[in-house]
Amino acid sequence: MGTLGISDHCFNAPQERVKYKGKDANYQWGGHHWTQTTWNKVHIIKAVYEYGVNVIHSDTDVVWFGDPLPFFHERLSGPVHVIMATDAVATGNPVGDTGLEISTNPFTNINTGIYFIKQYAGGLDMFKAWLDWQDKNIGHDQDGFNTMARGSGFRHEDKHLPPAVLPPDAAAKRYFLAAMHNTTGVSFLPASMFGNTYTYVNARLWEKLQHPLYAIHWVWGGSTLESKRQNMRDAMKFHDEPEYYTSPQLVTFDMDLLPMPDDYNDWKMTEEMIRFHVQAANHQLQQAYYAFAIALIANRTLVMPRFQCYCAKNWYQTQQCRINFEKATTFPFTCALSHVLRVKKLEAGFRLPENTEYSGHRVFVREYSFLDNPKVPDALKKSFVEIVPSQMPRAANLGVDDLVLSVEPAPRGYGQRVTVAAPLVDRELRAVLGRFKNVRVLHFPQPARTLSGFSTYATWEQYDVEIQKHVAYWCCRTPPDMQSMNLTDKVQLVALPPERYKNLAAHGGKSSYLHEMGPIRRMPGQIF
């Protein structure tokens, strides 16, 4: 931050205040090193708080969309001292209610990724009570705060604590910390305004409720650092160096979608919804199959499309394709990329092994919002050629010079539209694209009709194997559904076209392929 000139408001965290100084090369969620490191944050925030300031805490995987200071300034007076974010995927606040969470209660899981603590007489005592839980094997800092809030009579009960006390008026939007003998008022930040990946990507709560969007904590949306970074890039909220926006030669493509049933958002049949979603996702991935191949052949960067999702992906069960019985999500929504592809593998670049004619090529990806980003130069965007397949049957015995049928201005007002005798095999596509080496954006409205495949059998086989390694799975069914219908919790998505299914790896255990499932069989009298 100092190198960026942000030095006058920096706080150098005093390392002597950090209680845990251990190291671990395998930094894993839920592990001892991770758990103790979360407590270190609380020690440092307490040191900041001792300067007599009000504190807004933000984890490094939080992105701010708006200035929250007016929101917090309005709450400096009154009985609420601590305002916490939560792990909620819904809010009780109606349209236009931009205050604290109306559903505030001590049994909602708080999330310490974002919180506000104002200066008050019991503030330091509150921090001490919170930190006292570190050595009691309670878990991470969130578990400590939740236990401190709930007091006795809950999962991590402490017989020495009183139970939490709710005010008689629910509209007060607060409760009192049991550990502080009900002298510290706690409220929650609504998930619509201080949200997470689920409320931002899936439910889009702030749009539907007309709430201002202040921050997103990129949890509930992929298990890897790369998944979080991709979500930030999709939202145009990640800082990349200028070369990221100015250097690539691009391939873009359009997708057609399966028609969604008109009443789909009202369906109650979760298994039917899962199967439609997987079918729709496979339909989109099978178009991306050809787009990735085109980008590999051209040795260009591929801009991701706006994949559409018809079911939430999670690490535990869904109900009517939503999480925790929330009702706000409407389908389809634009998927997080990790819902359909393995982002960590894509960041390393898609490539084939060294024994193919494309072994020196590598396909990197850009987010679906890339060409909407003002950081991308207009000159790059307007260096544009659209490659479209002819609607006429392809003539026999065409030479390389006969593959381009026409060249005309592109309908978008800049660039060219090039009509080709389709479908082309890879060597023919290379010859056509050789004419446009200096064009920055090659757009393919119908990649599956433009490219037929690879002319070398071994290359095509290897491509099938490698592209499928980059495809994600959908998860998860409920245990009762798995048991009653003899189903797996995961469904592996498939990018290969049906005629290439012979190259799919055998699946078993916790996942299955849609095309290998039988019809839905329910137990007699089963309610769904």
Side-chain angles (χ1 to χ4, degrees):
M1 293 181 72
T3 62
L4 296 174
I6 309 171
S7 57
D8 56 338
H9 288 79
C10 285
F11 176 85
N12 190 14
Q15 293 303 298
E16 68 274 10
R17 299 291 293 270
V18 174
K19 185 170 184 177
Y20 174 73
K21 296 180 171 63
K23 296 181 179 180
D24 190 342
N26 297 317
Y27 189 77
Q28 296 181 340
W29 189 93
H32 175 74
H33 180 60
W34 176 86
T35 297
Q36 294 305 308
T37 300
T38 68
W39 284 104
N40 282 350
K41 295 189 302 178
V42 185
H43 285 283
I44 296 303
I45 293 301
K46 180 174 181 287
V48 177
Y49 189 78
E50 288 171 1
Y51 278 89
V53 295
N54 306 302
V55 173
I56 302 171
H57 169 267
S58 172
D59 273 0
T60 54
D61 59 344
V62 171
V63 167
W64 292 87
F65 286 70
D67 179 6
L69 291 179
F71 179 90
F72 290 122
H73 280 151
E74 289 180 16
R75 279 131 192 109
L76 286 176
S77 61
V80 174
H81 306 104
V82 179
I83 310 176
M84 287 278 181
T86 71
D87 278 327
V89 294
T91 175
N93 290 15
V95 172
D97 183 345
T98 59
L100 298 172
E101 174 58 52
I102 196 170
S103 301
T104 293
N105 70 79
F107 304 107
T108 298
N109 285 332
I110 61 97
N111 187 300
T112 55
I114 308 173
Y115 58 83
F116 171 76
I117 302 176
K118 72 180 184 181
Q119 283 290 323
Y120 71 104
L124 290 176
D125 291 336
M126 185 277 298
F127 272 107
K128 182 182 182 303
W130 187 1
L131 288 166
D132 281 346
W133 289 101
Q134 182 174 3
D135 296 328
K136 296 180 181 179
N137 297 320
I138 201 72
H140 57 314
D141 66 324
Q142 291 179 190
D143 292 325
F145 195 93
N146 278 318
T147 303
M148 182 170 67
R150 295 162 181 168
S152 61
F154 196 66
R155 181 165 52 100
H156 296 302
E157 67 180 44
D158 186 317
K159 300 299 183 183
H160 301 291
L161 292 178
V165 174
L166 288 169
D169 181 8
K173 301 184 177 183
R174 68 179 185 272
Y175 64 91
F176 296 97
L177 285 181
M180 294 301 295
H181 304 286
N182 304 316
T183 59
T184 293
V186 178
S187 191
F188 291 157
L189 298 168
S192 54
M193 300 189 288
F194 298 83
N196 51 53
T197 309
Y198 189 94
T199 64
Y200 178 76
V201 172
N202 299 31
R204 302 192 72 79
L205 287 182
W206 86 98
E207 285 184 340
K208 293 170 181 173
L209 297 173
Q210 301 170 35
H211 291 171
L213 179 61
Y214 292 111
I216 295 298
H217 188 189
W218 299 104
V219 293
W220 288 85
S223 60
T224 67
L225 169 67
E226 291 80 7
S227 296
K228 292 186 179 185
R229 186 157 54 212
Q230 183 66 42
N231 291 332
M232 295 179 201
R233 284 174 170 152
D234 288 348
M236 294 191 285
K237 291 293 184 180
F238 189 80
H239 173 77
D240 283 293
E241 296 301 322
E243 293 77 14
Y244 180 86
Y245 304 99
T246 60
S247 63
Q249 301 278 100
L250 302 174
V251 167
T252 63
F253 68 105
D254 295 335
M255 285 197 314
D256 71 274
L257 304 173
L258 291 181
M260 185 182 77
D262 290 340
D263 61 345
Y264 183 80
N265 278 288
D266 297 321
W267 282 14
K268 309 298 183 186
M269 306 167 291
T270 300
E271 181 60 25
E272 283 81 349
M273 296 182 76
I274 292 168
R275 296 195 183 199
F276 178 80
H277 165 70
V278 174
Q279 181 187 13
N282 288 349
H283 179 71
Q284 295 170 75
L285 285 166
Q286 287 157 14
Q287 296 168 74
Y289 171 93
Y290 290 98
F292 269 98
I294 290 168
L296 179 70
I297 293 162
N299 198 23
R300 284 176 171 247
T301 295
L302 182 63
V303 178
M304 293 291 93
R306 292 178 181 265
F307 287 105
Q308 298 298 292
C309 279
Y310 302 82
C311 194
K313 180 184 178 183
N314 198 37
W315 63 91
Y316 65 88
Q317 63 191 13
T318 68
Q319 307 87 17
Q320 297 168 31
C321 276
R322 301 166 178 92
I323 304 301
N324 293 350
F325 299 95
E326 61 88 11
K327 301 296 183 184
T329 297
T330 54
F331 304 107
F333 59 84
T334 299
C335 307
L337 188 58
S338 59
H339 288 186
V340 289
L341 291 166
R342 297 178 64 186
V343 175
K344 186 172 183 176
K345 289 186 71 68
L346 286 177
E347 276 214 358
F350 174 79
R351 63 188 185 277
L352 297 187
E354 296 301 319
N355 59 347
T356 73
E357 61 268 46
Y358 298 109
S359 59
H361 292 198
R362 185 173 294 194
V363 179
F364 294 98
V365 302
R366 291 294 186 268
E367 58 275 14
Y368 64 74
S369 58
F370 184 76
L371 290 173
D372 297 324
N373 197 312
K375 295 179 182 178
V376 178
D378 285 343
L380 185 154
K381 299 175 185 179
K382 293 186 176 181
S383 177
F384 175 88
V385 167
E386 183 178 69
I387 311 290
V388 299
S390 173
Q391 298 302 313
M392 302 298 293
R394 177 173 167 161
N397 303 317
L398 290 177
V400 171
D401 294 334
D402 301 320
L403 296 173
V404 173
L405 303 180
S406 66
V407 179
E408 57 190 333
R412 62 180 58 192
Y414 56 84
Q416 296 177 310
R417 169 177 281 181
V418 176
T419 303
V420 297
L424 307 172
V425 294
D426 60 331
R427 56 181 172 77
E428 294 175 324
L429 181 64
R430 288 201 307 269
V432 169
L433 299 186
R435 304 184 182 193
F436 309 109
K437 289 181 178 179
N438 296 323
V439 174
R440 304 300 299 278
V441 181
L442 297 178
H443 180 63
F444 292 81
Q446 296 177 292
R449 287 196 61 241
T450 304
L451 177 69
S452 61
F454 295 90
S455 51
T456 303
Y457 176 84
T459 300
W460 203 345
E461 295 277 299
Q462 192 61 59
Y463 177 79
D464 286 350
V465 171
E466 294 301 321
I467 194 66
Q468 188 59 29
K469 290 179 182 177
H470 290 70
V471 179
Y473 58 82
W474 175 87
C475 199
C476 297
R477 292 183 171 104
T478 66
D481 281 356
M482 287 188 280
Q483 183 176 9
S484 65
M485 292 184 273
N486 192 27
L487 296 168
T488 58
D489 60 342
K490 301 176 183 178
V491 183
Q492 177 62 50
L493 303 181
V494 176
L496 273 58
E499 64 272 17
R500 308 290 301 176
Y501 279 5
K502 63 182 178 64
N503 290 329
L504 286 173
H507 249 285
K510 293 186 176 181
S511 64
S512 55
Y513 293 120
L514 178 65
H515 63 274
E516 293 178 346
M517 296 179 199
I520 299 172
R521 293 191 175 95
R522 301 186 184 276
M523 299 293 288
Q526 183 177 355
I527 298 174
F528 57 89

